[in-house]
């Protein structure tokens, strides 16, 4: 019963968190789509990849909140009193909770180490490829658009038809030799040829010369082509997108810190769940969310300590082997303190003696 409630609550909480976080991040992607840096065809792909990354990153906090909410409801409805009256105790609750936590931690380890880096790398690859071919997407009627080739190419389009054909086109083409060409054309279109992508202009006039000079070439044309050189698309992968095998074999301190960050996802699920069981204890009339503020402060502090630890490792303030170990020691001590507060010191000593005796 507890596991079923945990799964339902976990999915609900994770869905809400992911929708909020991905929506905020996706706004930046939409801005790039409006500017023409990302095509409409790849927006859904990027959205799907962002959902995957966010779901993995926020799985620990969603599980933490789910345990608090489910156990808090059980305290409110006095179901915990029934469990304790039947001879159950903290061990019973922990067993029920960790029947879900342990498999989920193993799954999250694989997701954080392999699936999330793949999704990050794939997102960067898609965005780099879109930026490489962003010329026509950056064109909008009624505004000046700039395309960076070997020279400068700036043009203005009065109207773009449903067939993507441009009407009333003004072009300023600054060539590598310093010549400046001004072109006015009745129509234009983008066309891919064997040699590359071209802006084909129709029925216009071209004026070319050096600015400040008196010698100009003026010509009329029925059709004139301007080559659009593709922008270089060098993929600068972030640390989040580096494959796991590369991190394993790397001695670079930043790679070691990134490896520890990926480990932190399954480890945080275990240690936060240990904290959640005693933290969920509340009075019958205290409400489901009685300790939610304290839980938020604990998770907020934990997240900041993990980032501080990663920064210390990168700056070699602490040894790399120490990493986030000290953070989890703090979580363990806090959890032990909460158990002592809930059950008393004698109960904790008794449980330790039982473990030692076994």
């Amino acid at each position: 019963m507890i596991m079923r409630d945990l799964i339902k609550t976990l999915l609900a909480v994770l869905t809400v968190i992911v929708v909020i976080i991905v929506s905020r991040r996706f706004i930046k992607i939409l801005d790039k789509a409006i500017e023409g840096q990302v095509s409409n065809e790849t927006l859904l792909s990027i959205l799907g990849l962002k959902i995957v990354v966010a779901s993995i990153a926020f799985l620990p906090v969603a599980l933490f909140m789910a345990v608090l909410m489910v156990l808090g409801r059980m305290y409110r409805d006095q179901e915990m009193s029934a469990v304790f009256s039947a001879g159950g105790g903290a061990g019973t609750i922990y067993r029920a909770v960790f029947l879900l936590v342990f498999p989920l931690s193993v799954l999250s380890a694989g997701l954080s180490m392999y699936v999330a880096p793949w999704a990050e790398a794939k997102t960067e690859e898609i965005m780099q490829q879109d930026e490489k071919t962003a010329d026509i997407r950056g064109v909008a009627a009624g505004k000046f658009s700039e395309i960076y080739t070997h020279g400068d190419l700036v043009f203005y389009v009065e109207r773009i038809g449903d067939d993507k054909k441009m009407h009333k086109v003004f072009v300023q083409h600054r060539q590598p030799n310093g010549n400046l060409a001004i072109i006015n054309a009745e129509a234009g279109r983008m066309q891919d040829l064997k040699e590359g992508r071209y802006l084909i202009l129709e029925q216009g006039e071209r004026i070319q010369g050096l600015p400040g000079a008196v010698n100009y070439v003026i010509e009329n044309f029925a059709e004139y082509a301007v080559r659009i050189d593709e922008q270089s698309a060098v993929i600068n992968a972030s640390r989040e997108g580096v494959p796991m095998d590369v991190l394993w074999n790397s001695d670079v301190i930043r790679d070691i810190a990134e490896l520890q960050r990926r480990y932190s996802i399954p480890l945080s699920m275990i240690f936060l769940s240990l904290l959640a069981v005693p933290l969920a204890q509340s009075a019958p009339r205290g409400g489901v969310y009685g300790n939610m503020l304290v839980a938020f402060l604990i998770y907020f502090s934990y997240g900041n300590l993990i980032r501080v630890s990663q920064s210390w490792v990168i700056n070699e303030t602490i040894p790399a082997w120490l990493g986030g170990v000290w953070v989890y020691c703090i979580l363990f001590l806090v959890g032990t303190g909460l158990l002592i507060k809930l059950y008393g010191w004698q109960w904790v000593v008794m449980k330790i003696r039982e473990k030692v005796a076994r």
Side-chain angles (χ1 to χ4, degrees), residues 165 183-191 193 198-206 219-226:
K165 189 170 185 178
I183 306 171
N184 287 290
E186 291 295 322
R189 68 184 186 278
M190 292 288 183
Q191 184 172 338
L193 302 176
Y198 285 84
L199 172 61
I200 308 296
L201 301 172
E202 303 171 359
Q203 303 300 324
E205 181 184 65
R206 177 173 179 267
E219 55 186 357
N220 295 317
F221 59 83
E223 190 172 82
Y224 181 81
V226 179

Side-chain angles (χ1 to χ4, degrees), residues 141-157:
K143 75 170 188 177
F144 285 93
S145 304
E146 185 172 8
I147 297 177
Y148 294 97
T149 58
H150 292 298
D152 295 332
L153 184 62
V154 181
F155 58 97
Y156 177 89
V157 178

Side-chain angles (χ1 to χ4, degrees), residues 64-65 67-69 71-73 75-76 275-299 338 341-342:
F64 186 39
M65 294 178 64
V67 174
L68 285 170
M69 294 169 67
L71 297 186
R73 180 193 58 78
Y75 275 106
R76 185 198 64 179
L275 273 174
V277 173
L279 192 62
Q281 192 274 338
S282 61
R285 297 183 180 180
V288 181
Y289 311 105
N291 292 325
M292 198 61 72
L293 178 59
V294 177
F296 171 78
L297 292 175
I298 290 176
Y299 182 79
L338 290 173
K341 179 183 176 182
L342 181 59

Side-chain angles (χ1 to χ4, degrees), residues 47-344:
L47 177 61
L49 293 170
K50 289 292 183 183
I51 290 175
V52 170
V53 174
S55 299
I56 297 171
F58 291 97
L59 189 57
V61 64
L63 179 62
F64 186 39
M65 294 178 64
V67 174
L68 285 170
M69 294 169 67
V70 170
L71 297 186
R73 180 193 58 78
M74 293 179 66
Y75 275 106
R76 185 198 64 179
D77 296 343
Q78 299 187 13
E79 293 180 16
M80 283 298 186
S81 299
V83 172
F84 295 148
S85 299
T92 304
I93 303 303
Y94 271 119
R95 280 195 296 271
V97 169
F98 276 85
L99 281 175
L100 173 65
V101 171
F102 275 130
L104 205 56
S105 299
V106 174
L107 177 62
S108 68
L111 293 175
S112 64
M113 294 176 190
Y114 296 99
V115 178
W118 169 83
E120 289 281 4
K122 190 67 177 178
T123 301
E124 292 173 0
E125 179 183 350
I126 291 174
M127 295 187 67
Q128 289 284 351
Q129 289 298 325
D130 271 9
E131 289 176 2
K132 179 180 176 181
T133 59
D135 41 49
I136 188 60
R137 293 194 305 272
V139 179
K143 75 170 188 177
F144 285 93
S145 304
E146 185 172 8
I147 297 177
Y148 294 97
T149 58
H150 292 298
D152 295 332
L153 184 62
V154 181
F155 58 97
Y156 177 89
V157 178
E158 184 175 300
R159 183 173 62 86
I160 299 178
D162 295 336
D163 57 354
K164 302 300 182 182
K165 189 170 185 178
M166 297 172 282
H167 300 272
K168 300 294 182 181
V169 184
F170 166 84
V171 179
Q172 174 187 282
H173 185 200
R174 188 179 301 276
Q175 299 171 341
N177 58 9
N179 283 336
L180 183 66
I182 303 297
I183 306 171
N184 287 290
E186 291 295 322
R189 68 184 186 278
M190 292 288 183
Q191 184 172 338
D192 291 318
L193 302 176
K194 292 182 179 180
E195 297 81 5
R197 172 162 288 194
Y198 285 84
L199 172 61
I200 308 296
L201 301 172
E202 303 171 359
Q203 303 300 324
E205 181 184 65
R206 177 173 179 267
I207 303 174
Q208 177 178 315
L210 287 171
V214 295
N215 295 325
Y216 283 91
V217 176
I218 302 176
E219 55 186 357
N220 295 317
F221 59 83
E223 190 172 82
Y224 181 81
V226 179
R227 180 166 180 171
I228 308 296
D229 292 336
E230 289 186 343
Q231 303 177 34
S232 60
V234 179
I235 301 178
N236 299 316
S238 63
R239 283 291 188 277
E240 289 80 2
V242 177
M244 194 64 183
D245 56 344
V246 175
L247 297 182
W248 270 116
N249 300 318
S250 176
D251 294 328
V252 179
I253 196 66
R254 290 185 177 273
D255 290 341
I256 295 174
E258 170 60 22
L259 190 61
Q260 293 176 354
R261 186 195 67 81
R262 296 182 188 181
Y263 282 141
S264 68
I265 292 178
L267 288 175
S268 63
M269 294 178 68
I270 294 174
F271 281 91
L272 289 174
S273 297
L274 285 170
L275 273 174
V277 173
L279 192 62
Q281 192 274 338
S282 61
R285 297 183 180 180
V288 181
Y289 311 105
N291 292 325
M292 198 61 72
L293 178 59
V294 177
F296 171 78
L297 292 175
I298 290 176
Y299 182 79
F300 180 78
S301 301
Y302 160 76
N304 281 287
L305 288 175
I306 284 293
R307 283 188 287 271
V308 168
S309 175
Q310 187 175 11
S311 175
W312 284 353
V313 170
I314 292 174
N315 296 328
E316 299 184 357
T317 305
I318 60 175
W321 63 266
L322 185 58
V325 172
W326 62 278
V327 180
Y328 297 109
C329 288
I330 293 175
L331 286 181
F332 180 77
L333 291 175
V334 172
T336 303
L338 290 173
L339 284 173
I340 293 173
K341 179 183 176 182
L342 181 59
Y343 295 103

